[in-house]
Amino acid sequence: MMALKNIRYVTVTHDDADLADADLVITTSSISLANKVNPNAVMFKWNQNADSDHYGRLYGLLRELWLQKSAD
């Protein structure tokens, strides 16, 4: 979590109200968010036994979303 908070273009929140504007939502299988989430948001399922590949995919998605947003 601290690594995500240190990325300058990432805002980490736990507030459900922010889900409507989120570009990326990190979730687990135990959370139901269907009615609250931006329909265009990328959903990233967090694995409890995450490895470096899992972190790499997450950072890759964050960078791709940042590039898309900065091009707009």
Side-chain angles (χ1 to χ4, degrees):
M1 185 65 88
M2 289 306 296
L4 290 175
K5 288 181 178 181
N6 288 327
I7 300 173
R8 65 181 171 88
Y9 54 86
V10 171
T11 302
V12 177
T13 182
H14 300 284
D15 188 357
D16 287 353
D18 293 330
L19 292 173
D21 295 324
D23 296 313
L24 173 73
V25 176
I26 301 170
T27 186
T28 66
S29 59
S30 62
I31 299 174
S32 176
L33 302 170
N35 296 330
K36 302 175 184 177
V37 178
N38 171 2
N40 297 319
V42 176
M43 301 300 286
F44 187 83
K45 184 178 175 190
W46 188 256
N47 294 331
Q48 187 174 6
N49 58 348
D51 57 15
S52 60
D53 269 357
H54 197 65
Y55 283 101
R57 285 191 297 274
L58 175 58
Y59 287 119
L61 276 172
L62 289 170
R63 178 162 167 70
E64 184 178 328
L65 287 168
W66 176 70
L67 289 171
Q68 288 174 4
K69 289 289 181 176
S70 46
D72 290 342

